[in-house]
């Protein structure tokens, strides 16, 4: 192997079998290189392993045994991929199999729409291993995608399949509703003190920021209830956070009329807008009572 790349050297007998005492069913150096190249832009899955095997039948030199016994041939491919992924060497062939530069904008929208589904729904438990091999499946089968699928619920986003505005999406942990209930029960008068802030250093150049709102428990441990990815710390993003948190609390009889912030003007403006909405609701309710009297 090349010590710089970790990939097989090009041999004069590149089409010869690489091991198993020259077993005609074993993979050739050419076939191993073909598999490695195949998975540089694809997620490893049962469907893709079968697809690369079928492609090798037409694009590489295969032995009669490989052509005649496809079950054993695909088993060889599967073993090669599995062993390579388990390798602890620094140059793992499949370590760079990401969706960088491959995922399309429309596929990103599909992922966000998928993450809007409920935790135990059929959509949420979709088997991406048997789904079409695209950027959606590649991400959802990755460690990051699996983490998102079991931990995050997108509440809303403004991605239309081609682009988005300065706010990307509002999302929340899967446990957000349970947290809202527990927070409401923690306060005797059901008036919950929320905490809200934004932070940077989530991407190169700080092009995006993450805003969050949540509550602290009696042990002073902070729990995020909702998060948003936005271009900056602005009142529109903060308003979406605050309104969603208030909506969750009200679902269980709670009220988020108290908010702890760091004094930022954008957050203060969002709070002012929510207070004005509260006053309007009160005035409307009072007017309704007067009419009924």
């Amino acid at each position: 192997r090349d010590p710089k790349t970790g990939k097989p050297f090009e041999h004069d007998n590149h089409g010869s079998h690489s091991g198993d005492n020259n077993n005609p069913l074993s993979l050739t150096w050419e076939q191993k290189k073909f598999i490695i190249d195949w998975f540089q832009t694809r997620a490893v899955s049962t469907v893709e392993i079968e697809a690369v095997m079928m492609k090798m039948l037409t694009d590489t030199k295969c032995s009669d045994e490989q052509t005649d016994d496809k079950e054993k041939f695909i088993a060889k491919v599967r073993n090669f991929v599995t062993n390579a992924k388990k390798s602890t060497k620094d140059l793992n062939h499949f370590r760079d199999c990401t969706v960088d530069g491959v995922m399309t904008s429309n596929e990103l929208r599909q992922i966000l729409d998928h993450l809007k589904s409920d935790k135990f729904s059929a959509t949420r438990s979709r088997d991406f291993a048997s789904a079409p091999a695209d950027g959606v499946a590649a991400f959802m089968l990755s460690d990051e995608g699996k983490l998102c699928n079991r931990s995050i619920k997108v509440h809303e986003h403004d991605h239309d399949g081609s682009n988005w505005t300065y706010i990307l999406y509002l999302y929340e942990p899967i446990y957000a509703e349970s947290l809202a209930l527990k927070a409401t029960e923690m306060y005797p008068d059901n008036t919950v003190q929320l905490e809200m802030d934004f932070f940077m250093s989530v991407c190169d150049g700080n092009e995006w920021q993450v805003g969050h709102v949540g509550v602290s428990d009696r042990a002073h441990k902070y729990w995020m209830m909702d998060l948003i990815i936005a271009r900056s710390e602005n009142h529109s993003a903060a308003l979406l956070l605050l309104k969603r948190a208030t909506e969750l609390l009200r679902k269980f009889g709670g009220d988020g009329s108290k908010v702890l912030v760091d004094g930022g003007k954008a957050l203060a403006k969002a709070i002012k807008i929510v207070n004005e909405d509260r006053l309007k609701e009160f005035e409307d309710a009072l007017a309704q009572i007067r009419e009924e009297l």
Side-chain angles (χ1 to χ4, degrees):
R1 295 178 184 274
D2 186 328
K4 292 184 178 180
T5 66
K7 295 184 178 181
F9 281 115
E10 293 285 344
H11 300 277
D12 293 334
N13 58 342
H14 201 54
S16 65
H17 298 277
S18 60
D20 295 349
N21 296 320
N22 215 29
N23 182 341
L25 275 169
S26 67
L27 301 176
T28 65
W29 295 111
E30 176 192 14
Q31 289 169 340
K32 287 185 176 182
K33 184 177 185 303
F34 189 93
I35 295 170
I36 291 169
D37 291 342
W38 180 272
F39 282 108
Q40 292 310 299
T41 56
R42 296 172 174 86
V44 175
S45 67
T46 301
V47 173
E48 284 300 327
I49 288 175
E50 182 176 353
V52 70
M53 184 273 290
M54 295 301 294
K55 190 66 173 174
M56 284 195 296
L57 290 174
T58 58
D59 290 22
T60 68
K61 183 179 179 179
C62 296
S63 66
D64 292 338
E65 289 79 1
Q66 288 175 333
T67 303
D68 295 339
D69 197 337
K70 293 183 179 60
E71 287 190 8
K72 290 185 178 179
F73 187 23
I74 198 171
K76 290 290 184 181
V77 176
R78 186 182 299 109
N79 288 339
F80 173 69
V81 173
T82 301
N83 290 334
K85 282 179 66 63
K86 289 180 179 178
S87 172
T88 56
K89 295 180 180 179
D90 292 336
L91 296 167
N92 185 326
H93 299 318
F94 300 94
R95 191 165 292 162
D96 295 325
C97 296
T98 66
V99 296
D100 292 347
V102 177
M103 184 189 297
T104 65
S105 185
N106 185 55
E107 288 170 341
L108 173 57
R109 180 191 59 78
Q110 291 179 55
I111 291 171
L112 293 175
D113 286 342
H114 168 79
L115 293 174
K116 290 177 71 174
S117 61
D118 292 330
K119 181 179 181 181
F120 298 109
S121 66
T123 300
R124 178 68 67 153
S125 57
R126 176 185 174 189
D127 181 14
F128 284 96
S130 59
D134 56 15
V136 177
F139 175 75
M140 296 307 299
L141 289 170
S142 69
D143 291 340
E144 293 83 359
K146 292 175 182 177
L147 177 63
C148 288
N149 204 35
R150 66 173 178 265
S151 306
I152 291 175
K153 177 179 173 62
V154 173
H155 180 64
E156 64 178 86
H157 67 84
D158 60 3
H159 201 303
D160 63 7
S162 59
N163 52 49
W164 55 89
T165 61
Y166 63 94
I167 295 175
L168 181 55
Y169 57 91
L170 174 68
Y171 65 102
E172 58 198 33
I174 289 292
Y175 61 73
E177 288 199 1
S178 298
L179 176 60
L181 172 60
K182 289 183 179 297
T184 299
E185 293 175 341
M186 184 173 65
Y187 286 85
D189 60 355
N190 297 341
T191 302
V192 179
Q193 177 173 287
L194 295 169
E195 301 170 41
M196 183 168 59
D197 201 1
F198 279 70
F199 61 86
M200 299 186 291
S201 301
V202 294
C203 62
D204 292 339
N206 289 323
E207 183 179 1
W208 298 95
Q209 293 190 34
V210 177
H212 59 93
V213 63
V215 295
S216 291
D217 60 23
R218 290 170 180 166
H220 305 290
K221 181 177 180 180
Y222 177 68
W223 298 84
M224 291 186 183
M225 187 177 295
D226 285 281
L227 302 97
I228 194 166
I229 295 179
R231 289 285 189 187
S232 64
E233 180 177 329
N234 60 81
H235 79 276
S236 296
L239 185 60
L240 284 174
L241 277 175
L242 199 51
K243 284 189 172 182
R244 176 56 183 163
T246 301
E247 179 182 317
L248 284 170
L249 292 173
R250 285 183 173 181
K251 187 174 183 178
F252 302 103
D255 185 16
S257 59
K258 299 177 181 178
V259 187
L260 180 65
V261 297
D262 63 0
K265 292 182 179 180
L267 305 187
K269 184 174 181 180
I271 293 172
K272 179 181 179 182
I273 293 174
V274 171
N275 286 340
E276 290 174 348
D277 289 343
R278 286 175 177 273
L279 180 59
K280 182 67 167 55
E281 289 178 6
F282 175 76
E283 290 175 343
D284 291 345
L286 187 59
Q288 181 67 32
I289 291 175
R290 287 172 176 169
E291 288 181 3
E292 292 176 355
L293 292 176

